[in-house]
Amino acid sequence: MFLELIKEIYNKINRGRSNIFIQLNEKDRFNNNLKETKCHFPNCKKTPIESHTYPKSMLKKFANSNNVYSINLSKLVGASYSDRKTPILEIMNIGHSGVKPLFCKFHDTEIFKRIELKNIGVDEKTYLCLFLYRVFCYDYLLEKEIKLADNRGEILGEKDYSKKITKEDEKKYFMEQKVVQFILNGQYSFDIYKNLKSLFDEIFNCNSEPVFKDFQNKFHLKFYEIRNSSNFLACGCQFYYAPTYKNSTIPKLPSIYALVPNKKGDAVYFAILIPNDEKHNMIPLIECLDNKYKEYENNQSNSFIKIVEFLLLESSQNIIMTEKLYNSLSEEEKEIFEKVYYYLVIARLFGGEESKCIKDEAYRLLTEISLIAD
């Protein structure tokens, strides 16, 4: 019965009531708020440039072309006001994939030159920590846009289309915004992202070019090498909570997940950066991953890859596929991918058994497709 309700919610997400003017309003409001952000380096007030979560040179090699299929968030924010289905992924130039205003030009270069410049050496663990820091800043920016109350519910009166929004539609819009904000705040507040950012700020305030031991003071890094993951990338932040585990507590900080190609481009890692205060909550997941990875290494089972796909889709607001992978999926498989992604978005709004029920169904569906080739 509960899953039937979730399926109904999913169908409504994909076939909302049409209002092109509010759809335009939401897209413009989202983009306007992003333009007002400042550099995410601690105490820097400079205007940020468009920063790539995955470096452009890396995406060029990954895609073997200039185009990838990626999430266009500015379109998705208005999807509920369109009566047409809005695909999660759309084809775009690699110059626009996973790009947001994160750091000013100086700090973007200063912090991440060890990731992007071939002539500067860096050890693997520091490389992964720096990469995951950038992933976090991408999510921090998006969560700030979604969660802060003053970023919700506004009709842009200076736009010509605002005059065509009726009073009735405007009233419905503001009511919907209040309901959405109430649901979102019921699970977690933006404070948890601010608290996680403060951990990174402490690291970079002490050393603008930190190494792995500096990150270790605040975080625990776990990573696994993946075979043949050349057509799918994803990254993001998410809580992990296993209430049946005897030492579990309500999580206060999310961990950061990503598929990360190494600097040489000859390996790909599934990496997790865990706040030290959350290590005890992550024990059940890490033990499961460790056990499944042994089976994966010994070619005994592929369930490790399926768990990785699940965790990435659950956490990611930044997903990238090559044209080769996307075009190889049948229409049915693309529909399964979209359904899994939206089910996991919906699961965030619930807790306890309801969330578990949705996630179980999402995992079952995910077993019918393959994103990370083995």
Side-chain angles (χ1 to χ4, degrees):
M1 185 69 179
F2 180 70
L3 275 179
E4 291 304 314
L5 173 62
I6 298 306
K7 291 174 184 177
E8 186 178 338
I9 293 173
Y10 169 74
N11 289 332
K12 286 183 177 179
I13 288 174
N14 282 280
R15 291 161 184 83
R17 57 185 180 84
S18 179
N19 192 317
I20 185 62
F21 307 119
I22 292 184
Q23 189 180 353
L24 289 170
N25 182 81
E26 292 304 274
K27 181 179 177 180
D28 286 343
R29 198 164 61 83
F30 178 81
N31 290 328
N32 287 349
N33 287 336
L34 291 182
K35 289 177 183 178
E36 294 174 4
T37 191
K38 301 298 180 185
C39 175
H40 286 78
F41 191 84
N43 302 316
C44 182
K45 303 300 182 184
K46 293 182 180 178
T47 301
I49 61 171
E50 296 288 294
S51 300
H52 283 79
T53 43
Y54 289 95
K56 190 174 179 180
S57 59
M58 182 182 289
L59 287 180
K60 180 79 172 179
K61 185 173 183 179
F62 162 77
N64 198 28
S65 76
N66 288 320
N67 296 316
V68 291
Y69 277 85
S70 187
I71 292 179
N72 185 339
L73 287 166
S74 65
K75 281 192 177 180
L76 289 180
V77 293
S80 61
Y81 295 99
S82 172
D83 57 2
R84 295 182 179 181
K85 183 176 179 181
T86 304
I88 293 172
L89 302 180
E90 69 171 46
I91 195 164
M92 65 176 65
N93 186 276
I94 58 174
H96 303 297
S97 178
V99 174
K100 287 290 176 286
L102 303 181
F103 295 91
C104 68
K105 186 174 182 179
F106 173 80
H107 285 121
D108 194 66
T109 302
E110 185 71 11
I111 299 169
F112 302 110
K113 61 187 177 185
R114 287 177 288 171
I115 289 179
E116 301 195 21
L117 300 181
K118 292 181 179 180
N119 62 335
I120 299 179
V122 62
D123 65 275
E124 208 82 303
K125 291 181 180 179
T126 300
Y127 171 87
L128 290 172
C129 288
L130 289 170
F131 201 103
L132 291 163
Y133 171 52
R134 189 184 250 171
V135 168
F136 164 72
C137 289
Y138 182 94
D139 258 37
Y140 176 88
L141 178 65
L142 297 181
E143 290 293 328
K144 183 178 180 181
E145 162 66 15
I146 293 168
K147 298 288 290 184
L148 290 187
D150 58 359
N151 282 348
R152 300 210 62 85
E154 178 188 9
I155 299 296
L156 302 177
E158 73 277 10
K159 300 290 185 179
D160 289 341
Y161 57 71
S162 68
K163 311 298 187 296
K164 299 179 182 180
I165 299 174
T166 67
K167 291 297 182 182
E168 181 182 355
D169 284 339
E170 185 175 331
K171 184 178 179 180
K172 287 181 181 178
Y173 165 75
F174 282 113
M175 180 61 70
E176 288 164 354
Q177 293 297 316
K178 287 181 180 179
V179 170
V180 169
Q181 189 69 13
F182 176 79
I183 293 171
L184 289 172
N185 286 335
Q187 291 302 310
Y188 64 94
S189 74
F190 183 63
D191 287 344
I192 59 105
Y193 279 85
K194 290 194 287 187
N195 293 338
L196 187 54
K197 186 177 185 299
S198 70
L199 297 182
F200 284 112
D201 287 352
E202 289 176 34
I203 294 170
F204 283 91
N205 275 328
C206 294
N207 186 353
S208 62
E209 295 188 29
V211 294
F212 178 61
K213 68 176 183 180
D214 299 314
F215 287 100
Q216 276 185 300
N217 293 328
K218 305 292 182 182
F219 295 95
H220 174 72
L221 176 67
K222 189 73 179 177
F223 61 99
Y224 308 84
E225 187 171 345
I226 303 292
R227 297 191 296 261
N228 304 324
S229 176
S230 57
N231 292 295
F232 177 79
L233 296 172
C235 57
C237 302
Q238 179 63 301
F239 294 102
Y240 180 80
Y241 179 46
T244 56
Y245 178 61
K246 61 181 180 180
N247 293 323
S248 67
T249 59
I250 301 297
K252 296 180 180 178
L253 295 171
S255 294
I256 307 161
Y257 302 78
L259 273 185
V260 186
N262 72 351
K263 191 171 181 178
K264 293 180 181 178
D266 58 4
V268 177
Y269 298 108
F270 171 58
I272 312 174
L273 195 62
I274 306 164
N276 285 340
D277 287 347
E278 295 297 328
K279 283 171 62 177
H280 63 289
N281 276 328
M282 294 288 283
I283 288 173
L285 176 60
I286 298 303
E287 287 182 348
C288 175
L289 286 170
D290 286 346
N291 291 332
K292 296 299 182 183
Y293 189 71
K294 289 176 184 177
E295 296 175 4
Y296 171 72
E297 282 188 305
N298 295 325
N299 295 312
Q300 295 172 335
S301 168
N302 202 39
S303 58
F304 172 78
I305 292 297
K306 198 53 58 180
I307 294 170
V308 168
E309 289 178 349
F310 180 87
L311 291 170
L312 289 169
L313 291 182
E314 183 182 29
S315 63
S316 298
Q317 300 179 81
N318 185 8
I319 297 172
I320 304 170
M321 288 187 193
T322 62
E323 292 179 272
K324 179 181 177 181
L325 172 59
Y326 188 83
N327 292 332
S328 72
L329 297 174
S330 68
E331 290 305 311
E332 182 181 359
E333 288 172 325
K334 289 172 186 174
E335 176 66 21
I336 290 172
F337 164 77
E338 301 237 342
K339 189 174 288 187
V340 169
Y341 186 79
Y342 275 121
Y343 275 24
L344 292 173
V345 169
I346 295 168
R348 286 190 177 203
L349 307 180
F350 295 89
E353 286 302 314
E354 290 86 358
S355 180
K356 182 179 183 301
C357 179
I358 302 169
K359 290 180 181 181
D360 286 347
E361 176 64 7
Y363 187 85
R364 185 193 68 77
L365 290 168
L366 188 57
T367 59
E368 299 179 17
I369 62 174
S370 178
L371 301 174
I372 301 175
D374 187 31

